[in-house]
């Protein structure tokens, strides 16, 4: 499976990494414990089995719109089938349009059953993961909001990339960092 993700500007990445560190220091699930060299704060837009030539063509056009300014809106939790703690992003018209274009690109040349329905426009909740675990209710600890720094108000989404879940290979799709 190939993900399509957006990376954050340096200041926002540093803020997310600080939140990761604080969760880990408190003994809570944290992306800081994910030791892969490819692990970095990101916003997942979609995933597909393969980045075909038609998909790549469309993604190159999407990447030309970067950087894209966005805002964090606060802390959010998901329970589906894993517990996820994240900072949510405001789904303004620019981010919604960029996401829709990515979804249409991957959907245009992928079997529909291979696409994650949570990434579909109208269902997608833009967020940057701070911690995740298979343990249900892991982030119900009342200390969680007090542990974390406030998310930065303004963020720029700077780079479109893809991660190959089978090989572990990362590919920058544009613009180059």
């Amino acid at each position: 499976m190939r993900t399509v993700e957006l990376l954050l500007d340096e200041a926002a990445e540093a803020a997310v990494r600080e939140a990761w560190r604080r969760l880990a220091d408190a003994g809570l699930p944290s992306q800081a414990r994910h030791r892969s060299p490819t692990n970095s704060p990101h916003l997942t837009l979609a995933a597909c089995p393969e980045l075909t030539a038609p998909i790549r063509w469309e993604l190159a056009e999407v990447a030309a719109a970067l950087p894209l300014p966005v805002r964090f809106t606060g802390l959010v939790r998901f329970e589906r089938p894993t517990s996820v703690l994240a900072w949510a992003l405001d789904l303004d018209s620019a981010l919604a349009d960029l996401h829709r274009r990515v979804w249409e690109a991957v959907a245009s040349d992928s079997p529909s059953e291979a696409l994650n329905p949570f990434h579909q426009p109208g269902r997608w909740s833009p967020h940057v993961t701070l911690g995740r675990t298979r343990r249900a209710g892991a982030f119900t600890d009342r200390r969680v909001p007090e542990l974390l720094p406030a998310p930065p108000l303004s963020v720029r989404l700077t780079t479109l990339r893809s991660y190959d879940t089978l090989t572990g290979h990362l590919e920058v799709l544009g613009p180059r960092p």
Side-chain angles (χ1 to χ4, degrees), residues 88-116:
L89 287 163
D90 181 28
L91 186 56
D92 64 13
S93 60
L95 181 55
D97 182 60
L98 184 142
H99 174 255
R100 178 191 51 74
R101 291 175 63 202
V102 167
W103 176 263
E104 288 173 355
V106 299
S108 72
D109 206 25
S110 299
S112 60
E113 65 275 4
L115 300 176
N116 184 335

Side-chain angles (χ1 to χ4, degrees), residues 4-166:
V4 180
E5 306 169 348
L6 286 167
L7 299 180
L8 313 175
D9 64 66
E10 289 180 22
E13 179 175 339
V16 172
R17 288 185 184 279
E18 174 64 12
W20 288 0
R21 184 193 63 75
R22 289 183 184 194
L23 287 170
D25 288 352
L28 292 167
S30 168
Q31 291 303 97
R33 292 190 175 95
H34 183 43
R35 295 292 183 200
S36 168
T38 63
N39 183 36
S40 62
H42 64 275
L43 171 63
T44 302
L45 300 166
C48 58
E50 181 183 355
L51 291 181
T52 63
I55 292 172
R56 286 174 179 280
W57 180 265
E58 293 297 321
L59 293 180
E61 289 189 12
V62 169
L66 298 175
L68 180 69
V70 294
R71 285 184 323 107
F72 279 119
T73 59
L75 206 54
V76 65
R77 280 187 324 122
F78 301 104
E79 296 288 339
R80 56 171 170 183
T82 58
S83 292
V84 175
L85 182 71
W87 278 338
L89 287 163
D90 181 28
L91 186 56
D92 64 13
S93 60
L95 181 55
D97 182 60
L98 184 142
H99 174 255
R100 178 191 51 74
R101 291 175 63 202
V102 167
W103 176 263
E104 288 173 355
V106 299
S108 72
D109 206 25
S110 299
S112 60
E113 65 275 4
L115 300 176
N116 184 335
F118 288 121
H119 293 152
Q120 186 173 0
R123 292 192 69 190
W124 181 65
S125 297
H127 65 279
V128 175
T129 300
L130 303 176
R132 88 177 322 129
T133 181
R134 295 193 190 279
R135 194 170 32 117
F139 298 108
T140 57
D141 188 318
R142 292 177 190 229
R143 298 175 302 149
V144 168
E146 298 165 9
L147 290 170
L148 298 176
L153 293 178
S154 64
V155 176
R156 288 179 325 119
L157 302 172
T158 61
T159 306
L160 191 68
R161 76 174 187 181
S162 177
Y163 176 69
D164 186 323
T165 61
L166 294 176

